[in-house]
Amino acid sequence: GFNVVFKSTGAMNFAQGEWVVMGGMISALLAGTFNSIAIACLIAVLLVTALGMLSERLVIFPLRRPNALLITLVSIGLAIFTRSLVMLVLGKKPVGYLGFSQTTTLSLGSVSVQTQTLWIAGLTLVFLAVMHFFFERTIMGKALRAAAADREAAAIVGIKVETTVLLSFGIAAFAGALAGAIITPLTLAS
């Protein structure tokens, strides 16, 4: 998440950690509502992704002449706002859920591994493979890379740089929410 936003804007996105927390807390809240933890996590990730993209449109996009320092400073404010919103709406208490598997540990001889750790590793590898494919093989991924390399040159050849920034915030929010959703059973979210 940090890298995608940095590559497209040159700025650090301090709201990234708040998207992780939001993904975990919303997943835990929805896990109690839905019978399926997977559906709860999917809805949470999609909701946080939409909020990440909305925050870019409401906070970053309106900047007249955005530069890396300005976007970084604005993202600090966005992080503070997001944390406050999460505490107001979802509360301050740590929340969690049981995890994706019915069993909590898997024993292989004298070694015990929490099954959620295996889910984390597997989903992370899938996410990384999808991101690699996206950035290397799709037109939009190549457009993001081009805009990151040289914004003006990308704009000259017809790439909408504003759209690439929006998409980078969406990808970053998705990555953060996914991380929050899959680590919450082990760490809790608050």
Side-chain angles (χ1 to χ4, degrees):
F2 281 118
N3 194 35
V4 174
V5 171
F6 182 77
K7 285 289 191 177
S8 68
T9 64
M12 288 298 298
N13 176 21
F14 284 94
Q16 187 67 40
E18 306 312 321
W19 292 335
V20 173
V21 171
M22 192 182 296
M25 290 192 74
I26 293 172
S27 293
L29 175 74
L30 294 177
T33 306
F34 293 100
N35 291 334
S36 171
I37 292 173
I39 291 173
C41 290
L42 178 64
I43 291 171
V45 168
L46 293 176
L47 182 61
V48 174
T49 300
L51 289 172
M53 294 174 82
L54 180 66
S55 67
E56 188 280 335
R57 281 292 120 167
L58 294 176
V59 178
I60 305 299
F61 182 74
L63 298 175
R64 292 178 71 117
R65 291 194 176 112
N67 60 46
L69 178 61
L70 184 58
I71 292 172
T72 300
L73 292 174
V74 168
S75 80
I76 293 170
L78 181 60
I80 293 168
F81 173 78
T82 304
R83 176 167 291 243
S84 300
L85 181 68
V86 167
M87 285 192 296
L88 259 168
V89 174
L90 302 175
K92 297 178 186 178
K93 290 183 180 180
V95 295
Y97 57 92
L98 294 176
F100 298 162
S101 300
Q102 298 297 326
T103 57
T104 57
T105 57
L106 180 65
S107 295
L108 301 168
S110 63
V111 177
S112 292
V113 178
Q114 291 182 331
T115 55
Q116 190 65 26
T117 305
L118 299 175
W119 279 103
I120 291 169
L123 289 172
T124 300
L125 289 173
V126 168
F127 177 76
L128 290 174
V130 168
M131 286 294 99
H132 177 75
F133 177 81
F134 173 76
F135 282 108
E136 295 294 326
R137 304 282 183 195
T138 66
I139 292 172
M140 186 55 80
K142 290 177 183 181
L144 268 168
R145 289 175 50 212
D150 190 340
R151 292 170 69 98
E152 284 112 21
I156 288 171
V157 297
I159 296 171
K160 293 183 180 180
V161 176
E162 296 84 15
T163 303
T164 64
V165 173
L166 173 67
L167 186 58
S168 70
F169 268 76
I171 293 169
F174 182 91
L178 178 64
I182 64 178
I183 66 169
T184 293
L186 295 180
T187 62
L188 301 180
S190 66

